[in-house]
Amino acid sequence: METTILVEKETSNTYLGHPKGLFYLFFAELWERFSFYGMKALLMLYMTQKLIFSDHNAFGVFAAYMSLVYVTPLFGGMIADKIIGYRKAIMLGGVLMAIGHFLLSFETPIFFYASLAIIIVGNGFFKPNISSFVGLLYPVGDKRRDSGFTIFYLGVNVGGAIAPLICSWLAISYGWHYGFAMAGIGMLFGLFMFYRGMKVGVFGEKGKIPKKEVYNQKRFGIKQGKLINILSFLVVPIFAVLIVFHQYEHYLVGIVFLLIATILFFIYRKVSKEEKRRLLAVVYFVLLGSLFWAIFEQAGSSVTLFASRNVNLIGINAAQTNSINSGFIMLLAIPFSWLWTYLDRKKINPNAAVKFGIGMFLLGLGFLIFGISGHFSDAFARTPMIFLFIGYFVLTVGELFLSPIGLSKMEALSPAKMVAFIIGIWYSASFFGHFFAGKIAQLTTKVETSSESSWLDSIVHFFTGISNENFLNENFQQLYGYVSTFASFGLLSIVIGIVAILISPWIKKLMV
Ligand code: GLN
């Protein structure tokens, strides 16, 4: 009796103007990201200090892992759309991720590769489907959607901000396995939150198995829906092998690109005229997203090294500069979610194509600010910390214009019954982005003096205040490597942003 009353109360109510289910998804995702980012923070150090991998190998493994986690959402989304539904996919993904994190506590290379591969598969089931679930809570055309996704994105970043602090403190003070086990416990909390949401009924009938007959159809004598559980373990060795042979990742990037292009081509041929237009808008947003992440993801790599070598850090160390982005999201997400609702009420909310343009522009401006810091370097080629903070602030605002909005838009643009797959395509932007981010980061190390300066060199000189004609010493050469790359890609991103704003009226037409 009591439960029935509770169920009714929870389903009929909204909280802070949003469906109550959003807050269960918020905490489930917060804890899932806690486990993901907590483990990520330990990964490089664990490989180089405990498993004694060379730096080169560790970078390769890290990049392969970070990109592969964003390729499996394509498959996890598709399987949920067609066979098992969001609920089962989220539970399966969460269980796999928890197992992966706990297995990392066994400190040997075999367990290490197996764990990473299990997390990659688990993330494929969890991430696209919990994101699709958020969209499902809002009726078609509901104006609160962007705002809801922005709140959800806050959950992502609260998890992302606190996990590195807690997991690395445990790992350093008590041993690696405590750090990894904490990540696993975080995932269990996430699963519990989602399970609780299902139990109290805040999701209504949403996210259940899409077609019972498809789920129950037998293959090899087993229900196809159940077979997915077995298959998800069987594919683990494939991902382990892909990580071990990470030097061949460019082939994978090519294959994934062709695969996505082929699938989209077949979907395109089958769908209605409006859906065709919207699919083109999806492709456009994913392309911009890939560029965005390729530049943005310098944050964890080249910007962190820049901070440690060429920024006058006061009160924080270079590793901790990684929390600045999440910290600003924690401050800004709620005001932004209010902003979208407010602009909507006033009927002046810019459309997603304009927001993407602004996002690219601000990302570029943030990186340009990192570049401009070169003007103010001291005798040791160290720049004032304030530029790092202001640059991060501006690019974080850019992220809020693009990342949660992209997520929110995918559902609205997806052809019917393939929402999670389209969200998987959105996450593939991070797969491509991480790959190209690695290439951009390498540019920061290739600095040579040149006697004749090209027009690009002159522009870089103008913005960074440092010329590559002759360097005072090695420190300045290194500083030039960073600020010239940041300024060049910053300017590129600004130009792309302006073009994106200019062409937005055409993209808007694709979205109706
Ligand atoms: N930081 C966000 C998250 O972890 C963005 C992910 C992405 O789209 N690349 O969810």
Side-chain angles (χ1 to χ4, degrees), residues 425-454:
I425 298 223
W426 168 247
Y427 281 122
S428 77
S430 284
F431 165 71
F432 295 116
H434 269 287
F435 176 76
F436 289 109
K439 305 280 167 218
I440 296 175
Q442 282 169 357
L443 294 178
T444 61
T445 62
K446 291 189 188 118
V447 185
E448 276 155 28
T449 42
S450 111
S451 45
E452 316 150 21
S453 61
S454 66

Side-chain angles (χ1 to χ4, degrees), residues 292-351:
F292 183 91
W293 295 117
I295 300 172
F296 178 93
E297 291 298 346
Q298 297 308 307
S301 57
S302 60
V303 179
T304 307
L305 290 182
F306 162 68
S308 88
R309 293 167 183 165
N310 294 104
V311 177
N312 230 332
L313 293 176
I314 303 163
I316 56 169
N317 64 37
Q320 288 167 336
T321 62
N322 282 299
S323 303
I324 301 175
N325 167 249
S326 294
F328 279 138
I329 295 221
M330 283 163 63
L331 288 181
L332 294 171
I334 295 291
F336 262 77
S337 99
W338 286 335
L339 178 72
W340 302 142
T341 325
Y342 172 79
L343 293 179
D344 240 342
R345 234 183 281 131
K346 296 257 162 215
K347 299 207 184 321
I348 49 169
N349 195 2
N351 65 61

Side-chain angles (χ1 to χ4, degrees), residues 428-499:
S428 77
S430 284
F431 165 71
F432 295 116
H434 269 287
F435 176 76
F436 289 109
K439 305 280 167 218
I440 296 175
Q442 282 169 357
L443 294 178
T444 61
T445 62
K446 291 189 188 118
V447 185
E448 276 155 28
T449 42
S450 111
S451 45
E452 316 150 21
S453 61
S454 66
W455 60 270
L456 185 63
D457 291 334
S458 320
I459 296 180
V460 166
H461 185 185
F462 175 76
F463 281 106
T464 63
I466 305 175
S467 140
N468 60 345
E469 279 169 20
N470 53 28
F471 297 110
L472 229 50
N473 56 39
E474 260 182 24
N475 295 345
F476 278 93
Q477 184 162 359
Q478 196 169 48
L479 173 63
Y480 180 82
Y482 295 122
V483 288
S484 62
T485 311
F486 299 155
S488 314
F489 282 91
L491 287 170
L492 177 71
S493 187
I494 287 178
V495 172
I496 296 173
I498 293 173
V499 174

Side-chain angles (χ1 to χ4, degrees), residues 234-253:
L234 292 184
V235 295
V236 164
I238 300 179
F239 288 101
V241 168
L242 286 174
I243 298 172
V244 175
F245 294 100
H246 53 79
Q247 63 272 40
Y248 301 108
E249 204 193 350
H250 50 285
Y251 290 113
L252 184 71
V253 171

